[in-house]
């Protein structure tokens, strides 16, 4: 085996120009595929991360209470309240789920009013001292100061639309958790940069301030979100949390939980919709006492993200296959020519004792080494190109949703690269199989008598 590899390496130094052309073709193919796959995967990940930042995590648990109708002809309501601040956190710890951080927050939609102008906003009541929240914000002016009562941080686009500055007092018009209209005076303490239309309407204030405004019970919140270390384990984590809450459901009549299994049956392509049906106030059979917990993942609410990621990898693989097949045609033709050029050399080696199997290994090994070298060069060039492109700031607002702080980012999967290399080796071996087989079957005497 070692001698076959040595022969293959030595043969690569012959016909340098032809081998260089083959290496360049293979390198170009891998450069294109790696760059496209890395760019598109990175863009999808950026989109996913922005949405994850919006909701505070990729697995979310919310508590829902059933509010009976106030009159005979009235309608029931769903109130989004988690009264026990530590319950979900304790459940997650018991499930031994690996996460980077978690967040308790209250959400409220409404509009801010300033000097006769109005703007729709989605206010998130968060602990303004959360390290992850502070790091994710890019403040253009002001500061994150939770000591200022009813302090509000708005996006730069909202501030520009309403001509707001730090220190301005605004009126926030919204509804309480029970559905009554309410207003509150708030002060602009910070203006943050928004890098996409997703977070243009985002605003932040201290959770206790927002709780008082929307009449959320003290110490309660709307949702508990966790940011997993591995995005691919979202479903596993949600199932574990749901199963643990269901254990408490058996012993506590005030604790209930939705069923992901049932949601998968009713809405297999959109589990989030299936869970919503289980808390639909229009169906009286859904009524419950106490708190019903709904555990959802980012992929449940936006299943298209997972679909897009799968499509990206499929498209990249198809492009790779097309490029490789074109290259393999060239490799096959090249080694047919190589067989003809080296036919007397093969006869000499066979006469000196080289077996047919060793001859086949020399031909196949030479082609595989040539292709692997080309693939490595293509991968290195793609990495260099991606690093350069990543350093270029992009100001196009249409692309902002897919950028990371104004820059393209690239995600290259080690597993995908290894799969591509395995595919390359298999196709190369197949491409030179015919030439290698003929070389192995040559009779030494016949080969030595051949006149080129």
């Amino acid at each position: 085996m070692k001698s076959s590899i040595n022969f293959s390496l030595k043969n690569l130094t012959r016909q340098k120009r032809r081998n260089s052309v083959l290496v360049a073709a293979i390198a170009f193919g891998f450069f294109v595929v790696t760059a496209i796959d890395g760019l598109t995967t990175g863009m999808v990940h950026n989109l996913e991360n922005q949405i994850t930042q919006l909701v505070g995590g990729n697995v979310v648990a919310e508590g829902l209470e059933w509010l009976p109708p106030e009159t005979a002809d009235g309608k029931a309501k769903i109130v989004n309240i988690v009264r026990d601040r530590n319950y979900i956190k304790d459940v997650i710890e018991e499930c031994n789920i690996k996460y980077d951080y978690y967040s308790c927050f209250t959400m409220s939609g409404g509009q801010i009013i300033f000097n006769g102008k109005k703007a729709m906003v989605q206010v998130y009541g968060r602990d303004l001292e959360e390290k992850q929240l502070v790091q994710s914000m890019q403040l253009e002016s002001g500061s994150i100061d939770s000591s200022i009562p009813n302090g509000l941080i708005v996006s730069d686009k909202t501030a520009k639309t309403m001509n707001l500055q730090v220190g301005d007092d605004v009126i926030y018009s919204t509804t309480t958790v029970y559905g009554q209209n309410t207003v509150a005076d708030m002060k602009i303490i910070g203006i943050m940069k928004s890098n996409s239309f997703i977070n243009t309407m985002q605003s932040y204030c201290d959770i206790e301030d927002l709780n008082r405004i929307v009449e959320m019970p003290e110490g309660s919140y709307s949702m508990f979100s966790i940011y997993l270390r591995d995005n691919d384990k979202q479903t596993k984590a949600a199932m574990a949390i749901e199963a643990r809450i269901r254990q408490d459901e058996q012993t506590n009549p005030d604790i209930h939980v939705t069923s992901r299994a049932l949601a998968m049956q009713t809405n297999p392509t959109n589990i989030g919709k299936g869970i919503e049906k289980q808390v639909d106030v229009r169906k009286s059979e859904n009524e419950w006492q106490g708190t019903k917990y709904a555990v959802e993942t980012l992929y449940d609410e936006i299943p298209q993200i997972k679909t897009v990621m799968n499509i990206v990898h499929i498209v990249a693989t198809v492009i790779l296959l097309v490029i490789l097949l074109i290259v393999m045609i060239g490799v096959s033709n090249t080694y047919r020519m190589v067989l003809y050029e080296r036919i007397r050399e093969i006869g000499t080696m066979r006469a000196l004792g080289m077996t047919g199997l060793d001859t086949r290994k020399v031909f196949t090994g030479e082609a595989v080494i040539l292709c692997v070298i080309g693939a490595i060069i293509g991968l290195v060039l793609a990495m260099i190109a991606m690093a350069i492109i990543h350093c270029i700031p992009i100001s196009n607002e249409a692309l902002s949703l897919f950028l990371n702080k104004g820059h393209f980012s690239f995600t290259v999967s080690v597993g995908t690269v290894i799969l591509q290399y395995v595919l390359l080796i298999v196709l190369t071996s197949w491409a030179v199989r015919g030439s290698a087989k003929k070389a192995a079957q040559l009779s030494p005497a016949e080969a030595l008598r051949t006149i080129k």
Side-chain angles (χ1 to χ4, degrees):
M1 183 67 181
K2 185 177 179 181
S3 60
S4 298
I5 295 175
N6 289 335
F7 270 120
S8 299
L9 290 171
K10 188 176 295 184
N11 287 335
L12 289 177
T13 61
R14 304 159 63 178
Q15 296 293 337
K16 294 180 180 179
R17 181 177 298 179
R18 183 170 58 199
N19 289 340
S20 297
V21 171
L22 272 177
V23 167
I26 296 166
F28 176 75
F30 261 77
F31 169 81
V32 171
V33 170
T34 304
I36 291 176
D37 188 43
L39 175 62
T40 51
T41 304
M43 291 172 70
V44 174
H45 280 166
N46 288 338
L47 172 62
E48 181 179 351
N49 288 336
Q50 288 199 49
I51 297 175
T52 301
Q53 287 291 340
L54 177 67
V55 300
N58 40 30
V59 177
V60 177
E62 57 181 332
L64 305 169
E65 295 183 358
W66 183 285
L67 194 65
E70 298 177 353
T71 60
D73 58 347
K75 295 181 180 180
K77 297 179 181 178
I78 298 294
V79 182
N80 188 193
I81 299 177
V82 179
R83 298 180 184 272
D84 187 344
R85 178 161 288 194
N86 294 320
Y87 176 68
I88 297 296
K89 181 178 180 297
D90 293 340
V91 166
I92 291 171
E93 297 296 342
E94 288 183 32
C95 294
N96 196 30
I97 294 173
K98 305 298 182 184
Y99 61 89
D100 285 329
Y101 63 88
Y102 69 87
S103 177
C104 304
F105 62 94
T106 298
M107 261 194 324
S108 170
Q111 60 182 359
I112 54 176
I113 305 169
F114 178 72
N115 285 345
K117 295 182 178 180
K118 299 179 181 180
M120 300 298 297
V121 291
Q122 187 77 26
V123 180
Y124 290 80
R126 299 272 296 267
D127 179 357
L128 296 183
E129 296 181 358
E130 280 184 20
K131 180 180 177 182
Q132 290 77 15
L133 178 62
V134 173
Q135 290 177 344
S136 67
M137 281 190 190
Q138 294 177 277
L139 287 182
E140 289 194 343
S141 60
S143 62
I144 303 175
D145 188 354
S146 59
S147 64
I148 299 177
N150 286 4
L152 182 67
I153 301 171
V154 297
S155 72
D156 55 349
K157 293 183 180 177
T158 298
K160 184 178 180 180
T161 301
M162 302 190 67
N163 197 25
L164 288 171
Q165 295 181 355
V166 173
D168 287 339
D169 293 315
V170 299
I171 297 174
Y172 178 49
S173 175
T174 185
T175 58
T176 68
V177 292
Y178 298 101
Q180 290 85 20
N181 294 328
T182 186
V183 294
D185 294 324
M186 305 192 78
K187 183 180 290 291
I188 303 299
I189 62 172
I191 297 175
M192 61 182 180
K193 181 175 177 57
S194 58
N195 53 13
S196 71
F197 71 84
I198 281 186
N199 55 13
T200 297
M201 295 175 59
Q202 276 183 268
S203 299
Y204 292 93
C205 71
D206 185 75
I207 185 171
E208 298 303 335
D209 290 338
L210 187 59
N211 280 354
R212 285 191 295 270
I213 294 171
V214 301
E215 299 181 9
M216 177 76 74
E218 185 177 354
S220 303
Y221 57 89
S222 299
M223 295 184 179
F224 187 102
S225 62
I226 57 176
Y227 200 111
L228 297 179
R229 294 176 185 174
D230 186 350
N231 284 350
D232 293 332
K233 293 185 178 179
Q234 293 182 32
T235 300
K236 182 179 179 180
M239 295 292 285
I241 294 170
E242 181 186 291
R244 177 62 188 80
I245 296 175
R246 185 161 285 112
Q247 292 179 12
D248 292 337
E249 184 180 26
Q250 306 302 319
T251 58
N252 190 332
D254 290 328
I255 292 181
H256 310 274
V257 66
T258 54
S259 171
R260 293 179 57 80
L262 179 59
M264 290 177 189
Q265 294 177 6
T266 57
N267 286 73
T269 60
N270 193 324
I271 299 175
K273 291 291 184 182
I275 291 177
E276 287 179 13
K277 290 181 179 179
Q278 298 174 34
V279 293
D280 190 344
V281 294
R282 293 171 297 182
K283 300 178 180 179
S284 58
E285 63 269 20
N286 287 339
E287 184 175 355
W288 66 86
Q289 297 291 329
T291 302
K292 175 174 281 192
Y293 292 94
V295 185
E296 299 181 69
T297 71
L298 181 64
Y299 294 152
D300 292 342
E301 287 297 317
I302 313 177
Q304 294 84 357
I305 289 182
K306 195 71 174 178
T307 303
V308 168
M309 292 185 71
N310 291 334
I311 291 174
V312 164
H313 291 303
I314 291 172
V315 170
T317 302
V318 171
I319 293 173
L320 175 66
L321 281 172
V322 171
I323 292 175
L324 285 182
L325 287 174
I326 294 172
V327 172
M328 290 307 116
I329 292 173
V331 171
S332 178
N333 290 334
T334 297
Y335 275 85
R336 287 178 185 175
M337 190 182 302
V338 168
L339 173 62
Y340 175 72
E341 291 175 350
R342 298 181 188 171
I343 193 165
R344 298 195 68 181
E345 178 185 323
I346 293 169
T348 302
M349 290 189 296
R350 292 295 308 278
L352 292 175
M354 178 177 281
T355 64
L357 180 60
D358 288 335
T359 306
R360 178 180 293 187
K361 287 180 180 178
V362 169
F363 264 74
T364 304
E366 182 179 338
V368 168
I369 292 172
L370 191 71
C371 290
V372 169
I373 291 173
I376 292 174
I377 294 174
L379 179 61
V380 172
L381 291 176
M383 291 294 187
I384 294 173
M386 289 187 289
I388 294 173
I389 295 173
H390 175 69
C391 295
I392 301 174
I394 307 295
S395 57
N396 190 329
E397 190 170 338
L399 294 174
S400 60
L401 191 62
F402 304 98
L403 303 177
N404 180 18
K405 296 181 179 180
H407 295 266
F408 281 117
S409 57
F410 297 82
T411 303
V412 179
S413 169
V414 176
T416 301
V417 172
I418 292 174
L419 179 62
Q420 291 173 350
Y421 271 73
V422 171
L423 185 61
L424 171 68
I425 292 171
V426 171
L427 287 177
T428 302
S429 301
W430 173 77
V432 300
R433 180 173 177 270
S435 299
K437 185 177 180 180
K438 287 182 180 179
Q441 293 175 344
L442 275 175
S443 167
E446 180 184 346
L448 290 170
R449 284 197 303 268
T450 301
I451 300 174
K452 295 186 291 179

